[in-house]
Amino acid sequence: MQKVNLKKYLSKKAKYVNSALKRFLPKDNSVISQGMRYSVMAGGKRLRPICVFLAAELFGGKAKDVLPAACAVEYLHTYSLVHDDLPSMDNDDLRRGMPTNHKKFGEAAAILCGDALLTEAFNLITKANAEDKNINKAVNVLADYSGYKGMIAGQAEDTLETGSWSEKNKEILEKKLKFIQIKKTAALIVASLKIGALLADADEKGLKSLEAYGTNIGIAFQITDDILDVYADKRLLGKNGSDADNDKLTALSLFGKEEAERIAYRHINKAKNALSIFGDKAEIFLHLADYMTSRNC
């Protein structure tokens, strides 16, 4: 595998996304518009929009044609973070080193800001430069993977648990944890890949391969997050709480650090194997998979 400067690639694509987000975000001074701009432009690696680009380019598409869809995914991701930080959810005061949306604008405004980002995500995705039939498929994917059967199902399982998870059978807990990892985290990564691919008119075999890849890197991404949540410098993470403080079920709490790392690496290998049908065209995807477990924040 050739040497790829992934850090440089991700930085370049993130700047491209940020420039587009500034154009798409509302410009008025209403509190909701301010809140949307505040949370969307607070930073982040823009990994999900970049997955939209990568998948489209894999099937001969162009980043500029799927740019609105890439930004739509980032809108939806940001909405989920705004709501996740609320007192009724994780009750976090900091996100990316800045006060969370509800700390800055108040709880009611934060809820409405998240609602606005969610709604506008579906407006934005329709502006992609693609055939109508493929845009319709992409809209369906965004709805399915972020809705009550997808990301919201994972968030509900993670948030609405009653009683102490530590008192339950480990086999049951492993199934519960896998459900949360796939639905809460991996779902939007899979959606990003499938949206980019669909807009570029991908075939069914390619879509299934990307789904397997996205699911596995998503699980590895979440496991790495669990580990960083405890072991990384909080200043780098830009947060001041932890899952341990909230008694959350995580790969780290269930398996311990060494086993959690081994599980993450196994999923990275599964992700790479899922891309074998693409040959050398998948090189950047392989480097991205490795990045999921090597990042430090």
Side-chain angles (χ1 to χ4, degrees):
M1 189 164 58
Q2 296 177 354
K3 179 70 174 178
V4 171
N5 190 333
L6 185 67
K7 184 177 180 180
K8 183 177 180 180
Y9 176 87
L10 293 177
S11 177
K12 180 180 179 180
K13 291 297 187 182
K15 289 178 182 177
Y16 184 48
V17 172
N18 287 337
S19 177
L21 288 169
K22 289 178 182 178
R23 295 199 309 272
F24 290 133
L25 282 162
K27 305 296 191 295
D28 65 272
N29 287 320
S30 70
V31 65
I32 302 305
S33 295
Q34 289 183 54
M36 291 169 72
R37 293 194 298 269
Y38 177 81
S39 289
V40 171
M41 301 310 299
K45 301 174 183 65
R46 312 305 191 196
L47 287 175
R48 292 157 191 83
I50 290 171
C51 283
V52 176
F53 297 150
L54 286 170
E57 290 168 350
L58 184 63
F59 292 95
K62 296 180 180 179
K64 66 178 183 179
D65 290 333
V66 300
L67 182 58
C71 290
V73 170
E74 191 64 21
Y75 269 30
L76 198 141
H77 175 55
T78 304
Y79 124 77
S80 73
L81 300 180
V82 170
H83 282 190
D84 193 43
D85 290 335
L86 288 166
S88 57
M89 295 286 193
D90 283 355
N91 194 24
D92 285 323
D93 295 342
L94 289 177
R95 168 73 65 178
R96 294 166 178 162
M98 298 167 59
T100 48
N101 194 291
H102 69 273
K103 285 294 181 181
K104 179 78 172 178
F105 299 99
E107 287 183 43
I111 293 170
L112 293 171
C113 173
D115 293 344
L117 287 168
L118 169 61
T119 307
E120 284 302 303
F122 286 93
N123 183 24
L124 257 185
I125 195 172
T126 65
K127 300 183 186 303
N129 183 20
E131 294 183 28
D132 287 346
K133 65 173 185 177
N134 291 335
I135 290 176
N136 288 339
K137 291 177 182 178
V139 169
N140 286 336
V141 165
L142 188 61
D144 288 343
Y145 281 86
S146 65
Y148 79 100
K149 291 182 179 179
M151 185 180 68
I152 290 175
Q155 180 69 21
E157 188 72 15
D158 188 41
T159 305
L160 304 180
E161 173 69 9
T162 57
S164 174
W165 63 264
S166 59
E167 296 173 359
K168 295 186 177 180
N169 179 278
K170 188 172 182 179
E171 184 177 347
I172 294 175
L173 291 174
E174 287 183 22
K175 290 180 180 179
K176 171 183 170 67
L177 179 62
K178 181 64 70 66
F179 182 89
I180 293 171
Q181 291 168 336
I182 291 174
K183 298 294 184 177
K184 183 180 178 182
T185 303
L188 199 51
I189 293 175
V190 173
S192 301
L193 293 163
K194 292 184 74 170
I195 286 169
L198 283 166
L199 292 173
D201 208 26
D203 58 24
E204 193 62 33
K205 185 177 181 181
L207 288 170
K208 287 183 179 179
S209 177
L210 285 179
E211 182 174 358
Y213 171 81
T215 299
N216 281 289
I217 66 168
I219 292 172
F221 182 95
Q222 184 57 59
I223 292 173
T224 302
D225 259 11
D226 294 344
I227 295 170
L228 291 174
D229 188 65
V230 173
Y231 289 95
D233 188 330
K234 293 296 182 185
R235 291 172 297 179
L236 292 176
L237 294 179
K239 59 189 292 188
N240 56 1
S242 73
D243 291 331
D245 295 336
N246 294 323
D247 195 31
K248 287 286 186 77
L249 173 65
T250 69
L252 190 65
S253 63
L254 188 59
F255 299 111
K257 185 171 183 287
E258 289 186 7
E259 181 60 21
E261 288 176 339
R262 282 194 289 268
I263 294 170
Y265 291 134
R266 284 202 296 268
H267 281 289
I268 292 302
N269 287 331
K270 288 181 181 179
K272 291 179 177 180
N273 290 335
L275 297 177
S276 60
I277 65 170
F278 298 115
D280 293 341
K281 290 167 60 178
E283 180 187 348
I284 188 69
F285 288 87
L286 303 182
H287 289 284
L288 182 63
D290 287 330
Y291 172 76
M292 293 299 176
T293 54
S294 64
R295 59 200 173 89
N296 58 10
C297 63

PDB file of all heavy atoms in Angstrom, residues 125 131-144 194-195 198-199 201-202 204 207:
ATOM      1  N   ILE A 125     -29.819  18.204   1.016  1.00  0.00           N
ATOM      2  CA  ILE A 125     -29.447  17.000   0.267  1.00  0.00           C
ATOM      3  C   ILE A 125     -30.112  16.980  -1.111  1.00  0.00           C
ATOM      4  O   ILE A 125     -29.566  16.423  -2.068  1.00  0.00           O
ATOM      5  CB  ILE A 125     -29.774  15.721   1.067  1.00  0.00           C
ATOM      6  CG1 ILE A 125     -29.057  14.508   0.454  1.00  0.00           C
ATOM      7  CG2 ILE A 125     -31.262  15.489   1.161  1.00  0.00           C
ATOM      8  CD1 ILE A 125     -29.170  13.257   1.307  1.00  0.00           C
ATOM      9  N   GLU A 131     -29.050  12.660 -10.605  1.00  0.00           N
ATOM     10  CA  GLU A 131     -30.357  12.310 -11.133  1.00  0.00           C
ATOM     11  C   GLU A 131     -31.389  12.277  -9.998  1.00  0.00           C
ATOM     12  O   GLU A 131     -31.078  11.891  -8.878  1.00  0.00           O
ATOM     13  CB  GLU A 131     -30.299  10.949 -11.818  1.00  0.00           C
ATOM     14  CG  GLU A 131     -29.437  10.916 -13.075  1.00  0.00           C
ATOM     15  CD  GLU A 131     -29.488   9.549 -13.746  1.00  0.00           C
ATOM     16  OE1 GLU A 131     -30.505   8.847 -13.596  1.00  0.00           O
ATOM     17  OE2 GLU A 131     -28.498   9.192 -14.406  1.00  0.00           O
ATOM     18  N   ASP A 132     -32.611  12.674 -10.322  1.00  0.00           N
ATOM     19  CA  ASP A 132     -33.665  12.727  -9.312  1.00  0.00           C
ATOM     20  C   ASP A 132     -33.855  11.387  -8.604  1.00  0.00           C
ATOM     21  O   ASP A 132     -34.057  11.340  -7.385  1.00  0.00           O
ATOM     22  CB  ASP A 132     -34.992  13.149  -9.954  1.00  0.00           C
ATOM     23  CG  ASP A 132     -35.013  14.627 -10.334  1.00  0.00           C
ATOM     24  OD1 ASP A 132     -34.123  15.365  -9.871  1.00  0.00           O
ATOM     25  OD2 ASP A 132     -35.917  15.034 -11.090  1.00  0.00           O
ATOM     26  N   LYS A 133     -33.787  10.297  -9.361  1.00  0.00           N
ATOM     27  CA  LYS A 133     -33.994   8.981  -8.751  1.00  0.00           C
ATOM     28  C   LYS A 133     -32.922   8.688  -7.703  1.00  0.00           C
ATOM     29  O   LYS A 133     -33.203   8.077  -6.662  1.00  0.00           O
ATOM     30  CB  LYS A 133     -34.002   7.878  -9.809  1.00  0.00           C
ATOM     31  CG  LYS A 133     -32.668   7.682 -10.527  1.00  0.00           C
ATOM     32  CD  LYS A 133     -32.691   6.468 -11.451  1.00  0.00           C
ATOM     33  CE  LYS A 133     -31.297   6.237 -12.053  1.00  0.00           C
ATOM     34  NZ  LYS A 133     -31.248   5.023 -12.891  1.00  0.00           N
ATOM     35  N   ASN A 134     -31.696   9.142  -7.956  1.00  0.00           N
ATOM     36  CA  ASN A 134     -30.605   8.902  -7.004  1.00  0.00           C
ATOM     37  C   ASN A 134     -30.701   9.838  -5.803  1.00  0.00           C
ATOM     38  O   ASN A 134     -30.347   9.447  -4.679  1.00  0.00           O
ATOM     39  CB  ASN A 134     -29.260   9.058  -7.702  1.00  0.00           C
ATOM     40  CG  ASN A 134     -29.009   7.943  -8.699  1.00  0.00           C
ATOM     41  OD1 ASN A 134     -29.564   6.859  -8.574  1.00  0.00           O
ATOM     42  ND2 ASN A 134     -28.177   8.200  -9.701  1.00  0.00           N
ATOM     43  N   ILE A 135     -31.192  11.054  -6.019  1.00  0.00           N
ATOM     44  CA  ILE A 135     -31.422  11.967  -4.897  1.00  0.00           C
ATOM     45  C   ILE A 135     -32.493  11.395  -3.985  1.00  0.00           C
ATOM     46  O   ILE A 135     -32.368  11.430  -2.749  1.00  0.00           O
ATOM     47  CB  ILE A 135     -31.812  13.371  -5.394  1.00  0.00           C
ATOM     48  CG1 ILE A 135     -30.610  14.053  -6.060  1.00  0.00           C
ATOM     49  CG2 ILE A 135     -32.332  14.233  -4.241  1.00  0.00           C
ATOM     50  CD1 ILE A 135     -30.911  15.404  -6.669  1.00  0.00           C
ATOM     51  N   ASN A 136     -33.550  10.844  -4.579  1.00  0.00           N
ATOM     52  CA  ASN A 136     -34.617  10.233  -3.771  1.00  0.00           C
ATOM     53  C   ASN A 136     -34.075   9.081  -2.924  1.00  0.00           C
ATOM     54  O   ASN A 136     -34.426   8.933  -1.741  1.00  0.00           O
ATOM     55  CB  ASN A 136     -35.731   9.713  -4.679  1.00  0.00           C
ATOM     56  CG  ASN A 136     -36.550  10.829  -5.301  1.00  0.00           C
ATOM     57  OD1 ASN A 136     -36.563  11.947  -4.790  1.00  0.00           O
ATOM     58  ND2 ASN A 136     -37.225  10.541  -6.399  1.00  0.00           N
ATOM     59  N   LYS A 137     -33.215   8.265  -3.512  1.00  0.00           N
ATOM     60  CA  LYS A 137     -32.612   7.159  -2.771  1.00  0.00           C
ATOM     61  C   LYS A 137     -31.735   7.689  -1.630  1.00  0.00           C
ATOM     62  O   LYS A 137     -31.737   7.129  -0.522  1.00  0.00           O
ATOM     63  CB  LYS A 137     -31.777   6.290  -3.704  1.00  0.00           C
ATOM     64  CG  LYS A 137     -32.586   5.491  -4.716  1.00  0.00           C
ATOM     65  CD  LYS A 137     -31.659   4.711  -5.649  1.00  0.00           C
ATOM     66  CE  LYS A 137     -32.444   3.949  -6.709  1.00  0.00           C
ATOM     67  NZ  LYS A 137     -31.539   3.230  -7.653  1.00  0.00           N
ATOM     68  N   ALA A 138     -30.997   8.753  -1.902  1.00  0.00           N
ATOM     69  CA  ALA A 138     -30.124   9.330  -0.881  1.00  0.00           C
ATOM     70  C   ALA A 138     -30.929   9.908   0.277  1.00  0.00           C
ATOM     71  O   ALA A 138     -30.557   9.765   1.452  1.00  0.00           O
ATOM     72  CB  ALA A 138     -29.244  10.416  -1.506  1.00  0.00           C
ATOM     73  N   VAL A 139     -32.047  10.556  -0.033  1.00  0.00           N
ATOM     74  CA  VAL A 139     -32.931  11.089   1.007  1.00  0.00           C
ATOM     75  C   VAL A 139     -33.459   9.952   1.873  1.00  0.00           C
ATOM     76  O   VAL A 139     -33.499  10.057   3.106  1.00  0.00           O
ATOM     77  CB  VAL A 139     -34.094  11.886   0.379  1.00  0.00           C
ATOM     78  CG1 VAL A 139     -35.162  12.212   1.437  1.00  0.00           C
ATOM     79  CG2 VAL A 139     -33.583  13.182  -0.247  1.00  0.00           C
ATOM     80  N   ASN A 140     -33.855   8.856   1.238  1.00  0.00           N
ATOM     81  CA  ASN A 140     -34.348   7.704   1.994  1.00  0.00           C
ATOM     82  C   ASN A 140     -33.284   7.139   2.928  1.00  0.00           C
ATOM     83  O   ASN A 140     -33.573   6.766   4.075  1.00  0.00           O
ATOM     84  CB  ASN A 140     -34.824   6.607   1.035  1.00  0.00           C
ATOM     85  CG  ASN A 140     -36.145   6.937   0.370  1.00  0.00           C
ATOM     86  OD1 ASN A 140     -36.923   7.722   0.898  1.00  0.00           O
ATOM     87  ND2 ASN A 140     -36.399   6.359  -0.783  1.00  0.00           N
ATOM     88  N   VAL A 141     -32.052   7.082   2.446  1.00  0.00           N
ATOM     89  CA  VAL A 141     -30.955   6.580   3.271  1.00  0.00           C
ATOM     90  C   VAL A 141     -30.739   7.487   4.481  1.00  0.00           C
ATOM     91  O   VAL A 141     -30.585   7.011   5.615  1.00  0.00           O
ATOM     92  CB  VAL A 141     -29.655   6.473   2.444  1.00  0.00           C
ATOM     93  CG1 VAL A 141     -28.436   6.300   3.363  1.00  0.00           C
ATOM     94  CG2 VAL A 141     -29.740   5.295   1.486  1.00  0.00           C
ATOM     95  N   LEU A 142     -30.728   8.799   4.250  1.00  0.00           N
ATOM     96  CA  LEU A 142     -30.519   9.733   5.357  1.00  0.00           C
ATOM     97  C   LEU A 142     -31.625   9.585   6.405  1.00  0.00           C
ATOM     98  O   LEU A 142     -31.347   9.597   7.613  1.00  0.00           O
ATOM     99  CB  LEU A 142     -30.475  11.173   4.836  1.00  0.00           C
ATOM    100  CG  LEU A 142     -30.065  12.242   5.853  1.00  0.00           C
ATOM    101  CD1 LEU A 142     -28.664  11.974   6.383  1.00  0.00           C
ATOM    102  CD2 LEU A 142     -30.147  13.637   5.245  1.00  0.00           C
ATOM    103  N   ALA A 143     -32.851   9.422   5.950  1.00  0.00           N
ATOM    104  CA  ALA A 143     -33.972   9.266   6.876  1.00  0.00           C
ATOM    105  C   ALA A 143     -33.896   7.936   7.630  1.00  0.00           C
ATOM    106  O   ALA A 143     -34.085   7.885   8.850  1.00  0.00           O
ATOM    107  CB  ALA A 143     -35.291   9.360   6.110  1.00  0.00           C
ATOM    108  N   ASP A 144     -33.621   6.860   6.895  1.00  0.00           N
ATOM    109  CA  ASP A 144     -33.583   5.533   7.514  1.00  0.00           C
ATOM    110  C   ASP A 144     -32.483   5.402   8.558  1.00  0.00           C
ATOM    111  O   ASP A 144     -32.704   4.878   9.658  1.00  0.00           O
ATOM    112  CB  ASP A 144     -33.402   4.450   6.448  1.00  0.00           C
ATOM    113  CG  ASP A 144     -34.647   4.231   5.607  1.00  0.00           C
ATOM    114  OD1 ASP A 144     -35.731   4.667   6.031  1.00  0.00           O
ATOM    115  OD2 ASP A 144     -34.535   3.625   4.524  1.00  0.00           O
ATOM    116  N   LYS A 194     -23.087   5.568   1.772  1.00  0.00           N
ATOM    117  CA  LYS A 194     -24.118   5.134   0.836  1.00  0.00           C
ATOM    118  C   LYS A 194     -24.707   6.323   0.070  1.00  0.00           C
ATOM    119  O   LYS A 194     -25.032   6.205  -1.123  1.00  0.00           O
ATOM    120  CB  LYS A 194     -25.213   4.366   1.574  1.00  0.00           C
ATOM    121  CG  LYS A 194     -24.746   3.026   2.123  1.00  0.00           C
ATOM    122  CD  LYS A 194     -25.866   2.228   2.759  1.00  0.00           C
ATOM    123  CE  LYS A 194     -26.797   1.627   1.739  1.00  0.00           C
ATOM    124  NZ  LYS A 194     -27.742   0.657   2.346  1.00  0.00           N
ATOM    125  N   ILE A 195     -24.841   7.461   0.723  1.00  0.00           N
ATOM    126  CA  ILE A 195     -25.363   8.653   0.052  1.00  0.00           C
ATOM    127  C   ILE A 195     -24.427   9.077  -1.073  1.00  0.00           C
ATOM    128  O   ILE A 195     -24.863   9.328  -2.203  1.00  0.00           O
ATOM    129  CB  ILE A 195     -25.565   9.800   1.066  1.00  0.00           C
ATOM    130  CG1 ILE A 195     -26.797   9.510   1.930  1.00  0.00           C
ATOM    131  CG2 ILE A 195     -25.715  11.140   0.354  1.00  0.00           C
ATOM    132  CD1 ILE A 195     -26.933  10.420   3.131  1.00  0.00           C
ATOM    133  N   LEU A 198     -24.636   6.418  -3.859  1.00  0.00           N
ATOM    134  CA  LEU A 198     -25.904   6.446  -4.578  1.00  0.00           C
ATOM    135  C   LEU A 198     -25.983   7.634  -5.530  1.00  0.00           C
ATOM    136  O   LEU A 198     -26.479   7.506  -6.658  1.00  0.00           O
ATOM    137  CB  LEU A 198     -27.074   6.493  -3.597  1.00  0.00           C
ATOM    138  CG  LEU A 198     -27.439   5.168  -2.916  1.00  0.00           C
ATOM    139  CD1 LEU A 198     -28.361   5.413  -1.738  1.00  0.00           C
ATOM    140  CD2 LEU A 198     -28.076   4.216  -3.915  1.00  0.00           C
ATOM    141  N   LEU A 199     -25.510   8.781  -5.083  1.00  0.00           N
ATOM    142  CA  LEU A 199     -25.550   9.970  -5.931  1.00  0.00           C
ATOM    143  C   LEU A 199     -24.657   9.806  -7.157  1.00  0.00           C
ATOM    144  O   LEU A 199     -24.867  10.472  -8.179  1.00  0.00           O
ATOM    145  CB  LEU A 199     -25.142  11.211  -5.129  1.00  0.00           C
ATOM    146  CG  LEU A 199     -26.133  11.635  -4.038  1.00  0.00           C
ATOM    147  CD1 LEU A 199     -25.557  12.775  -3.200  1.00  0.00           C
ATOM    148  CD2 LEU A 199     -27.480  12.052  -4.639  1.00  0.00           C
ATOM    149  N   ASP A 201     -24.454   6.900  -8.622  1.00  0.00           N
ATOM    150  CA  ASP A 201     -25.067   5.770  -9.334  1.00  0.00           C
ATOM    151  C   ASP A 201     -24.336   4.452  -9.101  1.00  0.00           C
ATOM    152  O   ASP A 201     -24.116   3.666 -10.029  1.00  0.00           O
ATOM    153  CB  ASP A 201     -25.145   6.069 -10.839  1.00  0.00           C
ATOM    154  CG  ASP A 201     -26.303   5.345 -11.518  1.00  0.00           C
ATOM    155  OD1 ASP A 201     -27.291   5.038 -10.829  1.00  0.00           O
ATOM    156  OD2 ASP A 201     -26.203   5.081 -12.729  1.00  0.00           O
ATOM    157  N   ALA A 202     -23.991   4.174  -7.850  1.00  0.00           N
ATOM    158  CA  ALA A 202     -23.294   2.934  -7.502  1.00  0.00           C
ATOM    159  C   ALA A 202     -24.200   1.723  -7.690  1.00  0.00           C
ATOM    160  O   ALA A 202     -25.424   1.813  -7.612  1.00  0.00           O
ATOM    161  CB  ALA A 202     -22.819   2.998  -6.057  1.00  0.00           C
ATOM    162  N   GLU A 204     -25.433  -2.282  -6.585  1.00  0.00           N
ATOM    163  CA  GLU A 204     -25.824  -2.879  -5.315  1.00  0.00           C
ATOM    164  C   GLU A 204     -24.651  -3.572  -4.621  1.00  0.00           C
ATOM    165  O   GLU A 204     -24.524  -3.515  -3.387  1.00  0.00           O
ATOM    166  CB  GLU A 204     -26.954  -3.885  -5.543  1.00  0.00           C
ATOM    167  CG  GLU A 204     -27.643  -4.345  -4.266  1.00  0.00           C
ATOM    168  CD  GLU A 204     -28.325  -3.213  -3.520  1.00  0.00           C
ATOM    169  OE1 GLU A 204     -28.817  -2.260  -4.163  1.00  0.00           O
ATOM    170  OE2 GLU A 204     -28.349  -3.272  -2.268  1.00  0.00           O
ATOM    171  N   LEU A 207     -22.544  -0.962  -2.939  1.00  0.00           N
ATOM    172  CA  LEU A 207     -23.224  -0.410  -1.764  1.00  0.00           C
ATOM    173  C   LEU A 207     -23.110  -1.345  -0.562  1.00  0.00           C
ATOM    174  O   LEU A 207     -22.879  -0.904   0.562  1.00  0.00           O
ATOM    175  CB  LEU A 207     -24.697  -0.162  -2.085  1.00  0.00           C
ATOM    176  CG  LEU A 207     -25.008   1.014  -3.017  1.00  0.00           C
ATOM    177  CD1 LEU A 207     -26.464   0.973  -3.443  1.00  0.00           C
ATOM    178  CD2 LEU A 207     -24.674   2.336  -2.344  1.00  0.00           C
TER     179      LEU A 207
END
